[in-house]
Amino acid sequence: MFCYQCEQADRTGAVPGCAGPLGNCGKDPATADVQDLLIHSVKGIAQYASRARALGAGNDEAAGFILYSVFTTLTNVNFNPTRFVALLQEASDIRDRVRARYEEAARGRGLEPERLTGPAEWQPAPDLDGLLAQAPAFRVDAGLDLVGPDVVGLRSLHLYALKGICAYAHHAHVLGRHSTEVFGGVEDGLAYLAGEPADVDELLDRAIGLGRLNLAVMELLDAANTGTYGPQRPTAVRTTPVAGKAILVSGHDLRDLAALLEQTKDSGINVYTHGEMLPAHAYPLLKAYPHLAGNYGGAWQDQQREFARFPGPILMTSNCIIEPYPAYRRRIFTTGPVGWPGVRHLADGDFSPVVQAAKAMPGYRTEGPERFITVGFGHDALLAAADQVVDAVRRGAIRHFFLVGGCDGPTVGRDYYRDVALGAPDDAVVLTLGCAKYRFNQHDFGAIDGIPRLLDLGQCNDAHSAVRIAQALADAFGCGIDELPLTLALSWTEQKAVAVLLSLLALGIRGIHLGPSLPAYLTPGLVAVLVDRFGLRTIGDPKTDIAAALERAGA
């Protein structure tokens, strides 16, 4: 195996990346290998699908399969090689159907169909042993000796951005929101990689194109979430237990949470959110369920300790799962793209096994002291108060904005984000999204003229809200986003964050502070290019970075 797609990648060897016997995320070599093969296989689907779509014969069912399949390969999503064997066989069948559709469409236009090579003609072995024998040729660093590390690094940047895009698009797709632009963009991106591109300038330009595609995807997902559950509204969320039976829901998928809430209605079971599910409390149609009782725990890397203490079953709806401890292995369930060997997977939206487990467990026997945090400052809520915010900036009551967010994680250096948030001056507003907020979101930041100094925008995909808010402020002041008194300090762990970063770069935003380290697949040469073109910075000393940000903004 070889994997360097996330911030956890091993950096102790001559070549950065996890090479076994286990990745730092817990992924074993067999799982890593079949994930590489699945990516290779969906590239083959995309080769034919992109051509078919160009002829007006797009296959949205195949596109949905691509989104789901790629999502399963993200960091901390699916660790079950058996599931990948089945997906590979399904991918081969879908590729053949898409190819037949393309050929029919081409002949209908009087064209001779192309017979494509590479991933488009690859056939997976029928079993795991055979697949593992095929895998070495399709590792993410394949071709390194021929094209060099810069090209391989940029191909990896493309792939990992597409993984994040597919994850966001899948969340929208299951809520019935999709678009030809998104399906076609994903297919084109994967087909482009299937051709093994080697032009560095073209790869860089197309990477920014993926950032623009992700902007469309995040807008689509925002429309799916708010269109289904209502626009986010500022909401106080309880962080202490309520007496009674309990279920914990982690991950990102609001549809799964909604289904569970409906299936537990009037059952006497309380449902708690965890991790990136915290923002669910801000959606009116979800918080209308009185048994959505509160939020438990913090970011994903602490789940082993937190899940072991939770007195009920756990439902994991998407990333980020890590190896379940024996203390709760028999009461954790997965659904959607998630998987772990030996953990029960619920594939059809029927969560009755979770409900039964909750009834059999003690739940919380006593009430905890009331404590709350406030979420729900998405673009709908903040744009409604835009005049108040703009006035506060013009009067000097608000001097600066710090966007401090992204992924949390177990690696050292992440206290930087807490220190920036807590060290921001009293006349600065801190915006946050993703699970990095758990390092500081229980601190009382106070308010400026009635505007809370800490504004929780939501999940990592709610970077869309940050963009909308920044654009509105820029319009109000007649300047570009890059000219606002705004500093971005972003932490990353996995591939959704890569897609978001490219989106911000596509908007022309410079000077982003990224950390705690840069991706292992970005060579020193590529980092130099990103620094030159986009002013990308690695995080440093929090006090120094705050002072420099205020000085650059003239504050």
Side-chain angles (χ1 to χ4, degrees), residues 54 200 325 545:
V200 169
Y325 276 179
D545 285 351

Side-chain angles (χ1 to χ4, degrees), residues 161-479:
L162 281 165
K163 287 190 177 191
I165 289 167
C166 285
Y168 288 148
H170 171 77
H171 284 307
H173 185 55
V174 298
L175 290 174
R177 295 292 182 113
H178 48 261
S179 73
T180 299
E181 175 191 5
V182 170
F183 282 158
V186 169
E187 291 164 353
D188 287 346
L190 288 167
Y192 175 69
L193 287 180
E196 300 182 345
D199 184 288
V200 169
D201 290 334
E202 181 184 76
L203 279 160
L204 279 168
D205 289 342
R206 287 188 65 116
I208 299 305
L210 290 177
R212 288 189 288 271
L213 175 62
N214 189 56
L215 286 170
V217 171
M218 289 193 296
E219 183 176 3
L220 191 70
L221 179 53
D222 176 75
N225 288 338
T226 59
T228 305
Y229 305 113
Q232 287 191 49
R233 293 289 180 262
T235 302
V237 181
R238 184 172 178 140
T239 59
T240 50
V242 176
K245 305 288 187 179
I247 295 173
L248 186 63
V249 184
S250 192
H252 300 71
D253 199 293
L254 299 183
R255 187 188 68 156
D256 289 329
L257 174 61
L260 180 66
L261 287 168
E262 185 62 25
Q263 291 173 37
T264 51
K265 186 170 57 177
D266 301 323
S267 68
I269 299 172
N270 292 316
V271 175
Y272 296 82
T273 56
H274 174 269
E276 284 266 55
M277 276 296 192
L278 169 60
H281 294 267
Y283 291 93
L285 268 66
L286 295 175
K287 69 178 184 179
Y289 288 93
H291 62 298
L292 182 59
N295 189 75
Y296 169 85
W300 64 273
Q301 74 274 6
D302 296 325
Q303 68 186 254
Q304 290 170 323
R305 170 177 51 83
E306 292 172 349
F307 289 2
R309 294 175 179 174
F310 187 76
I314 302 109
L315 178 65
M316 182 65 72
T317 68
S318 67
N319 52 329
C320 307
I321 191 173
I322 55 181
E323 182 176 7
Y325 276 179
Y328 61 90
R329 186 182 290 258
R330 296 186 64 182
R331 56 182 172 89
I332 186 171
F333 301 81
T334 61
T335 191
V338 197
W340 191 279
V343 169
R344 186 168 179 182
H345 186 74
L346 307 176
D348 57 2
D350 177 6
F351 299 131
S352 55
V354 184
V355 177
Q356 292 167 7
K359 291 179 178 178
M361 294 193 65
Y364 287 107
R365 300 188 186 278
T366 59
E367 203 100 344
E370 290 191 354
R371 288 196 295 270
F372 296 87
I373 52 178
T374 302
V375 301
F377 294 100
H379 61 87
D380 292 289
L382 280 183
L383 293 182
D387 290 344
Q388 183 184 0
V389 174
V390 169
D391 178 66
V393 174
R394 285 184 170 145
R395 289 186 294 103
I398 294 178
R399 178 165 49 142
H400 204 76
F401 296 89
F402 288 89
L403 175 59
V404 184
C407 312
D408 205 353
T411 49
V412 297
R414 293 183 180 275
D415 283 347
Y416 170 90
Y417 301 96
R418 178 201 64 202
D419 294 343
V420 168
L422 299 184
D426 290 343
D427 54 0
V429 170
V430 177
L431 310 171
T432 190
L433 47 81
C435 60
K437 73 187 108 193
Y438 281 109
R439 291 186 180 253
F440 52 82
N441 68 344
Q442 299 211 31
H443 177 77
D444 183 3
F445 283 79
I448 300 173
D449 292 351
I451 302 166
R453 285 193 57 238
L454 179 66
L455 299 173
D456 187 341
L457 305 183
Q459 294 181 338
C460 57
N461 57 280
D462 287 309
H464 169 73
S465 277
V467 169
R468 290 278 298 274
I469 293 162
Q471 287 174 331
L473 289 173
D475 290 344
F477 292 111
C479 66

